[in-house]
Amino acid sequence: MDASTEQLRTLAAVIDHGTFDRAAAALHITPSAVSQRIKALEEQSGRVLVRRSKPIHATEAGAVLLRLARQVALLEAEAAAELEGGDGTAASPIPLVVNADSLATWVLPALATVPDAVFDITLDDQEHTIDRLRDGTAMAAIGSDPEPVQGCTVSALGTMRYRPLASPEFVARWCPDGWTAERAAVAPMLIYNRKDALQDRYLDALAPGAHPPRHFVPASTEFVAAAVLGLGWGMVPDLQADALVADGRLVVLDEASGVDVPLYWQQWSLHSAALDAVAAAIARAAAAALRPAQPSRGT
């Protein structure tokens, strides 16, 4: 196939904005022109590339071309920056997908050290971030899967240690005589969202088959705040918990147990000054904030 830059840019706009009309407005062309470009690209590829839903989604074949579209856009922006006398670092947005706890603790300071970069950050559970690489949403991801996505490289960053914590008031009410399987089976539990399996992983080891009440709190900082306020117990990373434990606002329920979550950096196998700069910043910050990493793998 012979996809043009214009067609690829239109495909990315349709997926990013969700409708042909919004893509047309972003590209300053008519909705009819958007439709014609997508139709021509589908005819050239011999595949249906987008699902005409609300919002529009890429098909499996569309995700392949969406990744190509984002790669072309990044390289174009870097080439333009270099021709203008810069260092080749693009001002084009870099789509990243990051787990919430990393974003709330060590990732933002890392990104702040990359000059002139523009980020489009999406949150997802660490066990699901690579889905955004597969569908073309992101150029790079921080997650817990060590297996590289096709066309990507992966580097081990380190591990985040999570421990079961609750407020002193929660402890006094639900487990004054100690944290046991019987108490854990009935004490309210905090869950980040329905993808979050950390609490269940710990609970299955302590009290198999238990189904305590659950509060869903889908924001990292507010999740910790809910624990401090006594709504429930939850698995909190040491990076967020240490200061709260030190000043007595949170109590470790089980000193002997915890969950170590390995984190990996995955990015497209693409020579890009912008992506390389971001990867280096992430690696430096991870080395300072996380426990030691496992060996790297790649494709």
Side-chain angles (χ1 to χ4, degrees):
M1 61 175 295
D2 185 22
S4 69
T5 300
E6 184 179 76
Q7 291 170 332
L8 293 173
R9 187 180 296 117
T10 302
L11 174 64
V14 166
I15 300 303
D16 288 343
H17 296 282
T19 70
F20 282 16
D21 287 346
R22 291 176 182 171
L27 295 171
H28 306 292
I29 58 177
T30 66
S32 176
V34 169
S35 179
Q36 290 170 11
R37 290 180 186 179
I38 297 300
K39 181 178 179 181
L41 191 56
E42 289 181 327
E43 290 175 349
Q44 291 176 35
S45 65
R47 303 283 193 280
V48 174
L49 301 178
V50 297
R51 297 187 183 92
R52 271 73 170 176
S53 55
K54 291 185 179 181
I56 289 174
H57 293 285
T59 63
E60 186 174 347
V64 173
L65 291 184
L66 180 60
R67 289 195 296 271
L68 175 61
R70 299 205 192 283
Q71 291 171 354
V72 169
L74 179 63
L75 294 177
E76 281 184 332
E78 290 187 351
E82 194 167 356
L83 287 172
E84 292 173 1
D87 59 3
T89 301
S92 179
I94 300 173
L96 306 175
V97 57
V98 182
N99 62 306
D101 292 335
S102 290
L103 188 67
T105 52
W106 63 274
V107 167
L108 279 181
L111 298 182
T113 67
V114 185
D116 302 323
V118 178
F119 301 104
D120 183 352
I121 301 173
T122 299
L123 288 178
D124 208 339
D125 183 83
Q126 60 266 8
E127 296 181 0
H128 299 273
T129 56
I130 63 170
D131 293 341
R132 307 292 184 129
L133 285 173
R134 291 193 181 101
D135 67 17
T137 302
M139 295 179 182
I142 295 173
S144 60
D145 195 331
E147 294 298 324
V149 174
Q150 184 176 5
C152 293
T153 60
V154 58
S155 301
L157 295 173
T159 62
M160 291 186 76
R161 176 75 167 174
Y162 288 76
R163 293 183 294 169
L165 279 82
S167 70
E169 294 77 16
F170 179 93
V171 171
R173 178 180 179 187
W174 291 99
C175 52
D177 298 321
W179 185 243
T180 64
E182 292 74 21
R183 292 288 84 204
V186 297
M189 184 167 67
L190 299 172
I191 305 289
Y192 179 80
N193 62 22
R194 284 165 178 79
K195 293 181 179 180
D196 178 13
L198 280 178
Q199 283 71 215
D200 283 317
R201 193 182 308 171
Y202 168 80
L203 191 62
D204 286 346
L206 177 65
H211 294 285
R214 297 166 180 237
H215 298 290
F216 289 89
V217 186
S220 184
T221 301
E222 284 72 18
F223 182 98
V224 177
V228 171
L229 291 169
L231 267 71
W233 71 271
M235 302 298 291
V236 180
D238 286 349
L239 287 174
Q240 288 176 297
D242 283 348
L244 295 169
V245 172
D247 69 14
R249 285 187 287 169
L250 286 177
V251 175
V252 180
L253 297 174
D254 186 350
E255 291 282 2
S257 298
V259 176
D260 287 322
V261 176
L263 294 178
Y264 300 86
W265 170 259
Q266 295 214 32
Q267 72 174 64
W268 291 344
S269 302
L270 177 71
H271 179 66
S272 159
L275 272 181
D276 290 346
V278 174
I282 290 292
R284 288 192 299 270
L290 305 180
R291 294 186 173 207
Q294 298 299 315
S296 301
R297 302 174 66 179
T299 57

